[in-house]
Amino acid sequence: ADAEFWGLVWQTVGYAVAFVLLSVVLGTLLAVLVEQQRRGRSFFRAVFFIPVLISPVVAGLVWNWMLERQGGIVNAFLGLFGVAPVPWLVEGPLAMLSVIVVGTWMQVGFYMLILLAGLQSIDPSLYEAAQLDGASRWKQFTNVTLPLLQPSILVVVVLATIHGFQAFDFIYTLTGGGPVGATTLIVQYIYENGFVSPIRYGLASAGSVLLFIVIFTITIVNYLIGRKRDAV
């Protein structure tokens, strides 16, 4: 019955959907680009995976400093091209966009490795046959790569969905849930009700149970879809 809770639920859903879409698209793109590299493949894999190893709390603090309206590296760089300082963390839509971008930057390297493993399991002879049939690179990607990459993409969707709904630590140090709750997600709601005065354990417990049900349901649905595709 808490209106604030349901508002944050839809806010969390919006973040999770954007996060999943960006993770799948960018992860696939990076995996394809890295796979095509004949030299320096290990270097690029390491570069894209480094953000995954950074503590989320530290990442949030660093990006908070970089996105500051006055003195931030991002605005300083844009200023070189005559762009006025952008209030990345002050205006609601821009703050949410910043949170989505930082969240994707932190995890996309991990998803890239999963998709890269899927690409490396595809038989090269299939591409050779497609080339003999006159298929362009785009046709090879849409008719060979994507269909055979679906199991890996499904894994990424499930993991990204879970990460999206559980996002909290880096957001808390990046924006603190602000401005005016514009980047507050459901896990922060649970934390603040369960550990910050005034403590309301009932709301925190109810929110935790609903969060578990949502994540569990999405995981089961994705699993059933994957099994159905494997059966076909």
Side-chain angles (χ1 to χ4, degrees), residues 43-82:
F43 170 77
F44 287 110
R45 281 189 300 187
V47 168
F48 291 126
F49 190 74
I50 285 176
V52 182
L53 304 177
I54 299 175
S55 166
V57 174
V58 173
L61 290 172
V62 171
W63 276 97
N64 178 278
W65 169 67
M66 292 175 61
L67 294 174
E68 284 183 353
R69 187 170 186 174
Q70 301 294 335
I73 292 179
V74 175
N75 279 330
F77 175 76
L78 294 176
L80 297 176
F81 302 95

PDB file of all heavy atoms in Angstrom, residues 43-82:
ATOM      1  N   PHE A  43      44.747  -8.478 -24.961  1.00  0.00           N
ATOM      2  CA  PHE A  43      44.839  -7.126 -24.415  1.00  0.00           C
ATOM      3  C   PHE A  43      43.457  -6.483 -24.330  1.00  0.00           C
ATOM      4  O   PHE A  43      43.082  -5.910 -23.296  1.00  0.00           O
ATOM      5  CB  PHE A  43      45.768  -6.281 -25.277  1.00  0.00           C
ATOM      6  CG  PHE A  43      45.746  -4.816 -24.950  1.00  0.00           C
ATOM      7  CD1 PHE A  43      46.407  -4.322 -23.828  1.00  0.00           C
ATOM      8  CD2 PHE A  43      45.034  -3.925 -25.752  1.00  0.00           C
ATOM      9  CE1 PHE A  43      46.374  -2.973 -23.518  1.00  0.00           C
ATOM     10  CE2 PHE A  43      45.001  -2.571 -25.450  1.00  0.00           C
ATOM     11  CZ  PHE A  43      45.663  -2.098 -24.330  1.00  0.00           C
ATOM     12  N   PHE A  44      42.687  -6.568 -25.412  1.00  0.00           N
ATOM     13  CA  PHE A  44      41.366  -5.944 -25.429  1.00  0.00           C
ATOM     14  C   PHE A  44      40.411  -6.632 -24.454  1.00  0.00           C
ATOM     15  O   PHE A  44      39.577  -5.979 -23.820  1.00  0.00           O
ATOM     16  CB  PHE A  44      40.781  -5.963 -26.847  1.00  0.00           C
ATOM     17  CG  PHE A  44      41.440  -4.984 -27.772  1.00  0.00           C
ATOM     18  CD1 PHE A  44      42.250  -5.422 -28.807  1.00  0.00           C
ATOM     19  CD2 PHE A  44      41.262  -3.619 -27.599  1.00  0.00           C
ATOM     20  CE1 PHE A  44      42.865  -4.518 -29.659  1.00  0.00           C
ATOM     21  CE2 PHE A  44      41.871  -2.702 -28.442  1.00  0.00           C
ATOM     22  CZ  PHE A  44      42.678  -3.156 -29.479  1.00  0.00           C
ATOM     23  N   ARG A  45      40.522  -7.947 -24.325  1.00  0.00           N
ATOM     24  CA  ARG A  45      39.682  -8.643 -23.341  1.00  0.00           C
ATOM     25  C   ARG A  45      39.987  -8.146 -21.935  1.00  0.00           C
ATOM     26  O   ARG A  45      39.073  -7.937 -21.130  1.00  0.00           O
ATOM     27  CB  ARG A  45      39.919 -10.158 -23.429  1.00  0.00           C
ATOM     28  CG  ARG A  45      39.202 -10.831 -24.580  1.00  0.00           C
ATOM     29  CD  ARG A  45      39.300 -12.332 -24.498  1.00  0.00           C
ATOM     30  NE  ARG A  45      40.681 -12.800 -24.531  1.00  0.00           N
ATOM     31  CZ  ARG A  45      41.029 -14.080 -24.604  1.00  0.00           C
ATOM     32  NH1 ARG A  45      40.109 -15.016 -24.625  1.00  0.00           N
ATOM     33  NH2 ARG A  45      42.295 -14.425 -24.650  1.00  0.00           N
ATOM     34  N   ALA A  46      41.264  -7.959 -21.638  1.00  0.00           N
ATOM     35  CA  ALA A  46      41.651  -7.477 -20.311  1.00  0.00           C
ATOM     36  C   ALA A  46      41.166  -6.050 -20.086  1.00  0.00           C
ATOM     37  O   ALA A  46      40.657  -5.716 -19.004  1.00  0.00           O
ATOM     38  CB  ALA A  46      43.165  -7.549 -20.156  1.00  0.00           C
ATOM     39  N   VAL A  47      41.295  -5.192 -21.101  1.00  0.00           N
ATOM     40  CA  VAL A  47      40.884  -3.792 -20.969  1.00  0.00           C
ATOM     41  C   VAL A  47      39.392  -3.688 -20.676  1.00  0.00           C
ATOM     42  O   VAL A  47      38.968  -2.938 -19.791  1.00  0.00           O
ATOM     43  CB  VAL A  47      41.245  -3.004 -22.247  1.00  0.00           C
ATOM     44  CG1 VAL A  47      40.557  -1.641 -22.249  1.00  0.00           C
ATOM     45  CG2 VAL A  47      42.752  -2.833 -22.345  1.00  0.00           C
ATOM     46  N   PHE A  48      38.590  -4.429 -21.411  1.00  0.00           N
ATOM     47  CA  PHE A  48      37.137  -4.351 -21.224  1.00  0.00           C
ATOM     48  C   PHE A  48      36.685  -5.038 -19.930  1.00  0.00           C
ATOM     49  O   PHE A  48      35.602  -4.729 -19.420  1.00  0.00           O
ATOM     50  CB  PHE A  48      36.407  -4.977 -22.421  1.00  0.00           C
ATOM     51  CG  PHE A  48      36.541  -4.186 -23.685  1.00  0.00           C
ATOM     52  CD1 PHE A  48      37.006  -4.774 -24.849  1.00  0.00           C
ATOM     53  CD2 PHE A  48      36.207  -2.836 -23.712  1.00  0.00           C
ATOM     54  CE1 PHE A  48      37.127  -4.035 -26.019  1.00  0.00           C
ATOM     55  CE2 PHE A  48      36.322  -2.092 -24.873  1.00  0.00           C
ATOM     56  CZ  PHE A  48      36.794  -2.688 -26.032  1.00  0.00           C
ATOM     57  N   PHE A  49      37.506  -5.959 -19.415  1.00  0.00           N
ATOM     58  CA  PHE A  49      37.119  -6.686 -18.203  1.00  0.00           C
ATOM     59  C   PHE A  49      37.555  -5.968 -16.932  1.00  0.00           C
ATOM     60  O   PHE A  49      37.012  -6.242 -15.857  1.00  0.00           O
ATOM     61  CB  PHE A  49      37.715  -8.101 -18.221  1.00  0.00           C
ATOM     62  CG  PHE A  49      37.183  -8.993 -17.149  1.00  0.00           C
ATOM     63  CD1 PHE A  49      35.895  -9.524 -17.244  1.00  0.00           C
ATOM     64  CD2 PHE A  49      37.944  -9.313 -16.035  1.00  0.00           C
ATOM     65  CE1 PHE A  49      35.393 -10.345 -16.257  1.00  0.00           C
ATOM     66  CE2 PHE A  49      37.438 -10.130 -15.036  1.00  0.00           C
ATOM     67  CZ  PHE A  49      36.152 -10.652 -15.151  1.00  0.00           C
ATOM     68  N   ILE A  50      38.495  -5.042 -17.025  1.00  0.00           N
ATOM     69  CA  ILE A  50      39.010  -4.347 -15.840  1.00  0.00           C
ATOM     70  C   ILE A  50      37.907  -3.706 -14.996  1.00  0.00           C
ATOM     71  O   ILE A  50      37.923  -3.818 -13.756  1.00  0.00           O
ATOM     72  CB  ILE A  50      40.079  -3.302 -16.247  1.00  0.00           C
ATOM     73  CG1 ILE A  50      41.387  -4.015 -16.596  1.00  0.00           C
ATOM     74  CG2 ILE A  50      40.318  -2.284 -15.137  1.00  0.00           C
ATOM     75  CD1 ILE A  50      42.472  -3.093 -17.112  1.00  0.00           C
ATOM     76  N   PRO A  51      36.896  -2.995 -15.589  1.00  0.00           N
ATOM     77  CA  PRO A  51      35.852  -2.386 -14.753  1.00  0.00           C
ATOM     78  C   PRO A  51      35.105  -3.386 -13.877  1.00  0.00           C
ATOM     79  O   PRO A  51      34.607  -3.020 -12.810  1.00  0.00           O
ATOM     80  CB  PRO A  51      34.913  -1.747 -15.779  1.00  0.00           C
ATOM     81  CG  PRO A  51      35.787  -1.468 -16.958  1.00  0.00           C
ATOM     82  CD  PRO A  51      36.746  -2.605 -17.003  1.00  0.00           C
ATOM     83  N   VAL A  52      35.031  -4.644 -14.314  1.00  0.00           N
ATOM     84  CA  VAL A  52      34.337  -5.662 -13.527  1.00  0.00           C
ATOM     85  C   VAL A  52      35.068  -5.909 -12.209  1.00  0.00           C
ATOM     86  O   VAL A  52      34.446  -6.243 -11.189  1.00  0.00           O
ATOM     87  CB  VAL A  52      34.220  -6.977 -14.330  1.00  0.00           C
ATOM     88  CG1 VAL A  52      33.461  -8.032 -13.536  1.00  0.00           C
ATOM     89  CG2 VAL A  52      33.535  -6.731 -15.666  1.00  0.00           C
ATOM     90  N   LEU A  53      36.376  -5.731 -12.206  1.00  0.00           N
ATOM     91  CA  LEU A  53      37.191  -6.007 -11.031  1.00  0.00           C
ATOM     92  C   LEU A  53      37.202  -4.855 -10.031  1.00  0.00           C
ATOM     93  O   LEU A  53      37.640  -5.025  -8.896  1.00  0.00           O
ATOM     94  CB  LEU A  53      38.634  -6.316 -11.459  1.00  0.00           C
ATOM     95  CG  LEU A  53      38.811  -7.463 -12.471  1.00  0.00           C
ATOM     96  CD1 LEU A  53      40.276  -7.604 -12.842  1.00  0.00           C
ATOM     97  CD2 LEU A  53      38.263  -8.765 -11.917  1.00  0.00           C
ATOM     98  N   ILE A  54      36.749  -3.682 -10.459  1.00  0.00           N
ATOM     99  CA  ILE A  54      36.756  -2.513  -9.585  1.00  0.00           C
ATOM    100  C   ILE A  54      35.604  -2.608  -8.587  1.00  0.00           C
ATOM    101  O   ILE A  54      34.484  -2.993  -8.949  1.00  0.00           O
ATOM    102  CB  ILE A  54      36.642  -1.217 -10.406  1.00  0.00           C
ATOM    103  CG1 ILE A  54      37.828  -1.097 -11.367  1.00  0.00           C
ATOM    104  CG2 ILE A  54      36.578   0.005  -9.501  1.00  0.00           C
ATOM    105  CD1 ILE A  54      37.729   0.102 -12.295  1.00  0.00           C
ATOM    106  N   SER A  55      35.873  -2.258  -7.337  1.00  0.00           N
ATOM    107  CA  SER A  55      34.818  -2.245  -6.326  1.00  0.00           C
ATOM    108  C   SER A  55      33.702  -1.290  -6.749  1.00  0.00           C
ATOM    109  O   SER A  55      33.973  -0.151  -7.158  1.00  0.00           O
ATOM    110  CB  SER A  55      35.390  -1.798  -4.982  1.00  0.00           C
ATOM    111  OG  SER A  55      34.360  -1.466  -4.077  1.00  0.00           O
ATOM    112  N   PRO A  56      32.442  -1.722  -6.683  1.00  0.00           N
ATOM    113  CA  PRO A  56      31.337  -0.837  -7.070  1.00  0.00           C
ATOM    114  C   PRO A  56      31.306   0.465  -6.276  1.00  0.00           C
ATOM    115  O   PRO A  56      30.973   1.516  -6.819  1.00  0.00           O
ATOM    116  CB  PRO A  56      30.090  -1.684  -6.781  1.00  0.00           C
ATOM    117  CG  PRO A  56      30.561  -3.092  -6.870  1.00  0.00           C
ATOM    118  CD  PRO A  56      31.962  -3.073  -6.344  1.00  0.00           C
ATOM    119  N   VAL A  57      31.663   0.393  -4.995  1.00  0.00           N
ATOM    120  CA  VAL A  57      31.687   1.601  -4.170  1.00  0.00           C
ATOM    121  C   VAL A  57      32.735   2.576  -4.696  1.00  0.00           C
ATOM    122  O   VAL A  57      32.488   3.780  -4.841  1.00  0.00           O
ATOM    123  CB  VAL A  57      31.968   1.245  -2.697  1.00  0.00           C
ATOM    124  CG1 VAL A  57      32.137   2.504  -1.875  1.00  0.00           C
ATOM    125  CG2 VAL A  57      30.838   0.391  -2.138  1.00  0.00           C
ATOM    126  N   VAL A  58      33.917   2.056  -5.012  1.00  0.00           N
ATOM    127  CA  VAL A  58      34.983   2.897  -5.544  1.00  0.00           C
ATOM    128  C   VAL A  58      34.593   3.459  -6.907  1.00  0.00           C
ATOM    129  O   VAL A  58      34.820   4.641  -7.209  1.00  0.00           O
ATOM    130  CB  VAL A  58      36.296   2.099  -5.644  1.00  0.00           C
ATOM    131  CG1 VAL A  58      37.372   2.920  -6.349  1.00  0.00           C
ATOM    132  CG2 VAL A  58      36.766   1.674  -4.269  1.00  0.00           C
ATOM    133  N   ALA A  59      33.982   2.608  -7.751  1.00  0.00           N
ATOM    134  CA  ALA A  59      33.554   3.072  -9.075  1.00  0.00           C
ATOM    135  C   ALA A  59      32.559   4.217  -8.953  1.00  0.00           C
ATOM    136  O   ALA A  59      32.631   5.202  -9.700  1.00  0.00           O
ATOM    137  CB  ALA A  59      32.937   1.913  -9.850  1.00  0.00           C
ATOM    138  N   GLY A  60      31.627   4.102  -8.017  1.00  0.00           N
ATOM    139  CA  GLY A  60      30.653   5.171  -7.819  1.00  0.00           C
ATOM    140  C   GLY A  60      31.311   6.470  -7.383  1.00  0.00           C
ATOM    141  O   GLY A  60      30.958   7.547  -7.869  1.00  0.00           O
ATOM    142  N   LEU A  61      32.274   6.378  -6.476  1.00  0.00           N
ATOM    143  CA  LEU A  61      32.976   7.573  -5.998  1.00  0.00           C
ATOM    144  C   LEU A  61      33.780   8.230  -7.115  1.00  0.00           C
ATOM    145  O   LEU A  61      33.791   9.457  -7.260  1.00  0.00           O
ATOM    146  CB  LEU A  61      33.896   7.211  -4.830  1.00  0.00           C
ATOM    147  CG  LEU A  61      33.212   6.826  -3.520  1.00  0.00           C
ATOM    148  CD1 LEU A  61      34.228   6.305  -2.515  1.00  0.00           C
ATOM    149  CD2 LEU A  61      32.453   8.023  -2.935  1.00  0.00           C
ATOM    150  N   VAL A  62      34.469   7.409  -7.915  1.00  0.00           N
ATOM    151  CA  VAL A  62      35.283   7.943  -9.007  1.00  0.00           C
ATOM    152  C   VAL A  62      34.416   8.634 -10.042  1.00  0.00           C
ATOM    153  O   VAL A  62      34.720   9.742 -10.500  1.00  0.00           O
ATOM    154  CB  VAL A  62      36.121   6.820  -9.654  1.00  0.00           C
ATOM    155  CG1 VAL A  62      36.788   7.326 -10.933  1.00  0.00           C
ATOM    156  CG2 VAL A  62      37.165   6.314  -8.678  1.00  0.00           C
ATOM    157  N   TRP A  63      33.294   7.994 -10.438  1.00  0.00           N
ATOM    158  CA  TRP A  63      32.414   8.593 -11.429  1.00  0.00           C
ATOM    159  C   TRP A  63      31.708   9.820 -10.875  1.00  0.00           C
ATOM    160  O   TRP A  63      31.406  10.759 -11.619  1.00  0.00           O
ATOM    161  CB  TRP A  63      31.397   7.564 -11.928  1.00  0.00           C
ATOM    162  CG  TRP A  63      31.949   6.700 -13.021  1.00  0.00           C
ATOM    163  CD1 TRP A  63      32.480   5.460 -12.902  1.00  0.00           C
ATOM    164  CD2 TRP A  63      32.039   7.041 -14.399  1.00  0.00           C
ATOM    165  NE1 TRP A  63      32.893   4.995 -14.119  1.00  0.00           N
ATOM    166  CE2 TRP A  63      32.629   5.944 -15.065  1.00  0.00           C
ATOM    167  CE3 TRP A  63      31.672   8.162 -15.147  1.00  0.00           C
ATOM    168  CZ2 TRP A  63      32.866   5.943 -16.438  1.00  0.00           C
ATOM    169  CZ3 TRP A  63      31.904   8.158 -16.516  1.00  0.00           C
ATOM    170  CH2 TRP A  63      32.492   7.058 -17.151  1.00  0.00           C
ATOM    171  N   ASN A  64      31.450   9.850  -9.584  1.00  0.00           N
ATOM    172  CA  ASN A  64      30.873  11.042  -8.970  1.00  0.00           C
ATOM    173  C   ASN A  64      31.818  12.225  -9.135  1.00  0.00           C
ATOM    174  O   ASN A  64      31.394  13.350  -9.446  1.00  0.00           O
ATOM    175  CB  ASN A  64      30.597  10.784  -7.490  1.00  0.00           C
ATOM    176  CG  ASN A  64      30.044  12.000  -6.777  1.00  0.00           C
ATOM    177  OD1 ASN A  64      30.795  12.885  -6.366  1.00  0.00           O
ATOM    178  ND2 ASN A  64      28.742  12.060  -6.625  1.00  0.00           N
ATOM    179  N   TRP A  65      33.097  11.975  -8.940  1.00  0.00           N
ATOM    180  CA  TRP A  65      34.101  13.027  -9.117  1.00  0.00           C
ATOM    181  C   TRP A  65      34.217  13.422 -10.589  1.00  0.00           C
ATOM    182  O   TRP A  65      34.311  14.603 -10.922  1.00  0.00           O
ATOM    183  CB  TRP A  65      35.431  12.530  -8.570  1.00  0.00           C
ATOM    184  CG  TRP A  65      36.588  13.409  -8.925  1.00  0.00           C
ATOM    185  CD1 TRP A  65      36.814  14.683  -8.501  1.00  0.00           C
ATOM    186  CD2 TRP A  65      37.675  13.077  -9.800  1.00  0.00           C
ATOM    187  NE1 TRP A  65      37.979  15.167  -9.054  1.00  0.00           N
ATOM    188  CE2 TRP A  65      38.531  14.202  -9.851  1.00  0.00           C
ATOM    189  CE3 TRP A  65      38.014  11.936 -10.525  1.00  0.00           C
ATOM    190  CZ2 TRP A  65      39.683  14.217 -10.617  1.00  0.00           C
ATOM    191  CZ3 TRP A  65      39.179  11.951 -11.276  1.00  0.00           C
ATOM    192  CH2 TRP A  65      39.994  13.090 -11.318  1.00  0.00           C
ATOM    193  N   MET A  66      34.178  12.436 -11.483  1.00  0.00           N
ATOM    194  CA  MET A  66      34.339  12.725 -12.907  1.00  0.00           C
ATOM    195  C   MET A  66      33.147  13.490 -13.484  1.00  0.00           C
ATOM    196  O   MET A  66      33.302  14.282 -14.428  1.00  0.00           O
ATOM    197  CB  MET A  66      34.534  11.416 -13.681  1.00  0.00           C
ATOM    198  CG  MET A  66      35.840  10.709 -13.400  1.00  0.00           C
ATOM    199  SD  MET A  66      35.948   9.094 -14.218  1.00  0.00           S
ATOM    200  CE  MET A  66      35.822   9.580 -15.933  1.00  0.00           C
ATOM    201  N   LEU A  67      31.955  13.272 -12.929  1.00  0.00           N
ATOM    202  CA  LEU A  67      30.746  13.884 -13.477  1.00  0.00           C
ATOM    203  C   LEU A  67      30.324  15.151 -12.742  1.00  0.00           C
ATOM    204  O   LEU A  67      29.228  15.669 -12.992  1.00  0.00           O
ATOM    205  CB  LEU A  67      29.586  12.872 -13.442  1.00  0.00           C
ATOM    206  CG  LEU A  67      29.750  11.655 -14.350  1.00  0.00           C
ATOM    207  CD1 LEU A  67      28.614  10.655 -14.118  1.00  0.00           C
ATOM    208  CD2 LEU A  67      29.785  12.057 -15.814  1.00  0.00           C
ATOM    209  N   GLU A  68      31.171  15.648 -11.843  1.00  0.00           N
ATOM    210  CA  GLU A  68      30.832  16.881 -11.144  1.00  0.00           C
ATOM    211  C   GLU A  68      30.608  18.011 -12.136  1.00  0.00           C
ATOM    212  O   GLU A  68      31.285  18.103 -13.166  1.00  0.00           O
ATOM    213  CB  GLU A  68      31.952  17.269 -10.167  1.00  0.00           C
ATOM    214  CG  GLU A  68      31.973  16.433  -8.909  1.00  0.00           C
ATOM    215  CD  GLU A  68      33.062  16.903  -7.952  1.00  0.00           C
ATOM    216  OE1 GLU A  68      33.852  17.776  -8.355  1.00  0.00           O
ATOM    217  OE2 GLU A  68      33.107  16.410  -6.822  1.00  0.00           O
ATOM    218  N   ARG A  69      29.630  18.867 -11.799  1.00  0.00           N
ATOM    219  CA  ARG A  69      29.294  19.950 -12.726  1.00  0.00           C
ATOM    220  C   ARG A  69      30.444  20.936 -12.868  1.00  0.00           C
ATOM    221  O   ARG A  69      30.729  21.412 -13.966  1.00  0.00           O
ATOM    222  CB  ARG A  69      28.037  20.676 -12.227  1.00  0.00           C
ATOM    223  CG  ARG A  69      27.501  21.701 -13.211  1.00  0.00           C
ATOM    224  CD  ARG A  69      26.137  22.201 -12.797  1.00  0.00           C
ATOM    225  NE  ARG A  69      25.564  23.074 -13.792  1.00  0.00           N
ATOM    226  CZ  ARG A  69      24.318  23.561 -13.742  1.00  0.00           C
ATOM    227  NH1 ARG A  69      23.535  23.224 -12.733  1.00  0.00           N
ATOM    228  NH2 ARG A  69      23.865  24.354 -14.690  1.00  0.00           N
ATOM    229  N   GLN A  70      31.111  21.236 -11.770  1.00  0.00           N
ATOM    230  CA  GLN A  70      32.252  22.147 -11.781  1.00  0.00           C
ATOM    231  C   GLN A  70      33.501  21.367 -11.390  1.00  0.00           C
ATOM    232  O   GLN A  70      33.591  20.847 -10.286  1.00  0.00           O
ATOM    233  CB  GLN A  70      32.029  23.322 -10.808  1.00  0.00           C
ATOM    234  CG  GLN A  70      30.797  24.152 -11.102  1.00  0.00           C
ATOM    235  CD  GLN A  70      30.887  24.902 -12.420  1.00  0.00           C
ATOM    236  OE1 GLN A  70      31.984  25.196 -12.907  1.00  0.00           O
ATOM    237  NE2 GLN A  70      29.743  25.224 -13.012  1.00  0.00           N
ATOM    238  N   GLY A  71      34.444  21.275 -12.306  1.00  0.00           N
ATOM    239  CA  GLY A  71      35.702  20.600 -12.014  1.00  0.00           C
ATOM    240  C   GLY A  71      35.750  19.140 -12.404  1.00  0.00           C
ATOM    241  O   GLY A  71      36.801  18.511 -12.263  1.00  0.00           O
ATOM    242  N   GLY A  72      34.618  18.581 -12.874  1.00  0.00           N
ATOM    243  CA  GLY A  72      34.625  17.193 -13.294  1.00  0.00           C
ATOM    244  C   GLY A  72      35.356  17.006 -14.614  1.00  0.00           C
ATOM    245  O   GLY A  72      35.330  17.880 -15.492  1.00  0.00           O
ATOM    246  N   ILE A  73      36.003  15.840 -14.770  1.00  0.00           N
ATOM    247  CA  ILE A  73      36.775  15.582 -15.988  1.00  0.00           C
ATOM    248  C   ILE A  73      35.881  15.584 -17.224  1.00  0.00           C
ATOM    249  O   ILE A  73      36.262  16.105 -18.282  1.00  0.00           O
ATOM    250  CB  ILE A  73      37.518  14.241 -15.861  1.00  0.00           C
ATOM    251  CG1 ILE A  73      38.615  14.330 -14.803  1.00  0.00           C
ATOM    252  CG2 ILE A  73      38.116  13.818 -17.197  1.00  0.00           C
ATOM    253  CD1 ILE A  73      39.372  13.053 -14.602  1.00  0.00           C
ATOM    254  N   VAL A  74      34.698  15.015 -17.129  1.00  0.00           N
ATOM    255  CA  VAL A  74      33.808  14.928 -18.288  1.00  0.00           C
ATOM    256  C   VAL A  74      33.417  16.311 -18.774  1.00  0.00           C
ATOM    257  O   VAL A  74      33.498  16.619 -19.979  1.00  0.00           O
ATOM    258  CB  VAL A  74      32.560  14.094 -17.943  1.00  0.00           C
ATOM    259  CG1 VAL A  74      31.578  14.100 -19.114  1.00  0.00           C
ATOM    260  CG2 VAL A  74      32.952  12.665 -17.597  1.00  0.00           C
ATOM    261  N   ASN A  75      32.989  17.181 -17.874  1.00  0.00           N
ATOM    262  CA  ASN A  75      32.614  18.533 -18.272  1.00  0.00           C
ATOM    263  C   ASN A  75      33.827  19.343 -18.719  1.00  0.00           C
ATOM    264  O   ASN A  75      33.705  20.205 -19.596  1.00  0.00           O
ATOM    265  CB  ASN A  75      31.908  19.245 -17.118  1.00  0.00           C
ATOM    266  CG  ASN A  75      30.440  18.857 -17.025  1.00  0.00           C
ATOM    267  OD1 ASN A  75      29.806  18.551 -18.033  1.00  0.00           O
ATOM    268  ND2 ASN A  75      29.893  18.853 -15.829  1.00  0.00           N
ATOM    269  N   ALA A  76      34.984  19.083 -18.124  1.00  0.00           N
ATOM    270  CA  ALA A  76      36.203  19.766 -18.558  1.00  0.00           C
ATOM    271  C   ALA A  76      36.537  19.387 -20.001  1.00  0.00           C
ATOM    272  O   ALA A  76      36.933  20.237 -20.812  1.00  0.00           O
ATOM    273  CB  ALA A  76      37.359  19.429 -17.635  1.00  0.00           C
ATOM    274  N   PHE A  77      36.359  18.112 -20.327  1.00  0.00           N
ATOM    275  CA  PHE A  77      36.610  17.653 -21.700  1.00  0.00           C
ATOM    276  C   PHE A  77      35.608  18.276 -22.675  1.00  0.00           C
ATOM    277  O   PHE A  77      35.982  18.735 -23.764  1.00  0.00           O
ATOM    278  CB  PHE A  77      36.531  16.124 -21.758  1.00  0.00           C
ATOM    279  CG  PHE A  77      36.662  15.563 -23.142  1.00  0.00           C
ATOM    280  CD1 PHE A  77      37.906  15.502 -23.758  1.00  0.00           C
ATOM    281  CD2 PHE A  77      35.550  15.094 -23.829  1.00  0.00           C
ATOM    282  CE1 PHE A  77      38.038  14.990 -25.038  1.00  0.00           C
ATOM    283  CE2 PHE A  77      35.676  14.579 -25.113  1.00  0.00           C
ATOM    284  CZ  PHE A  77      36.926  14.525 -25.716  1.00  0.00           C
ATOM    285  N   LEU A  78      34.322  18.271 -22.293  1.00  0.00           N
ATOM    286  CA  LEU A  78      33.308  18.879 -23.157  1.00  0.00           C
ATOM    287  C   LEU A  78      33.549  20.377 -23.322  1.00  0.00           C
ATOM    288  O   LEU A  78      33.245  20.956 -24.367  1.00  0.00           O
ATOM    289  CB  LEU A  78      31.911  18.630 -22.570  1.00  0.00           C
ATOM    290  CG  LEU A  78      31.447  17.174 -22.535  1.00  0.00           C
ATOM    291  CD1 LEU A  78      30.088  17.073 -21.848  1.00  0.00           C
ATOM    292  CD2 LEU A  78      31.370  16.597 -23.946  1.00  0.00           C
ATOM    293  N   GLY A  79      34.103  20.997 -22.275  1.00  0.00           N
ATOM    294  CA  GLY A  79      34.383  22.423 -22.355  1.00  0.00           C
ATOM    295  C   GLY A  79      35.396  22.759 -23.429  1.00  0.00           C
ATOM    296  O   GLY A  79      35.402  23.882 -23.958  1.00  0.00           O
ATOM    297  N   LEU A  80      36.267  21.806 -23.781  1.00  0.00           N
ATOM    298  CA  LEU A  80      37.236  22.038 -24.841  1.00  0.00           C
ATOM    299  C   LEU A  80      36.552  22.275 -26.181  1.00  0.00           C
ATOM    300  O   LEU A  80      37.139  22.881 -27.092  1.00  0.00           O
ATOM    301  CB  LEU A  80      38.187  20.837 -24.952  1.00  0.00           C
ATOM    302  CG  LEU A  80      39.060  20.538 -23.724  1.00  0.00           C
ATOM    303  CD1 LEU A  80      39.873  19.281 -23.950  1.00  0.00           C
ATOM    304  CD2 LEU A  80      39.975  21.717 -23.408  1.00  0.00           C
ATOM    305  N   PHE A  81      35.319  21.768 -26.311  1.00  0.00           N
ATOM    306  CA  PHE A  81      34.564  21.937 -27.557  1.00  0.00           C
ATOM    307  C   PHE A  81      33.482  23.004 -27.415  1.00  0.00           C
ATOM    308  O   PHE A  81      32.565  23.093 -28.237  1.00  0.00           O
ATOM    309  CB  PHE A  81      33.923  20.602 -27.960  1.00  0.00           C
ATOM    310  CG  PHE A  81      34.926  19.497 -28.138  1.00  0.00           C
ATOM    311  CD1 PHE A  81      35.205  18.623 -27.098  1.00  0.00           C
ATOM    312  CD2 PHE A  81      35.609  19.339 -29.339  1.00  0.00           C
ATOM    313  CE1 PHE A  81      36.136  17.600 -27.259  1.00  0.00           C
ATOM    314  CE2 PHE A  81      36.535  18.319 -29.509  1.00  0.00           C
ATOM    315  CZ  PHE A  81      36.805  17.457 -28.465  1.00  0.00           C
ATOM    316  N   GLY A  82      33.573  23.800 -26.351  1.00  0.00           N
ATOM    317  CA  GLY A  82      32.636  24.890 -26.166  1.00  0.00           C
ATOM    318  C   GLY A  82      31.304  24.493 -25.563  1.00  0.00           C
ATOM    319  O   GLY A  82      30.351  25.278 -25.604  1.00  0.00           O
TER     320      GLY A  82
END
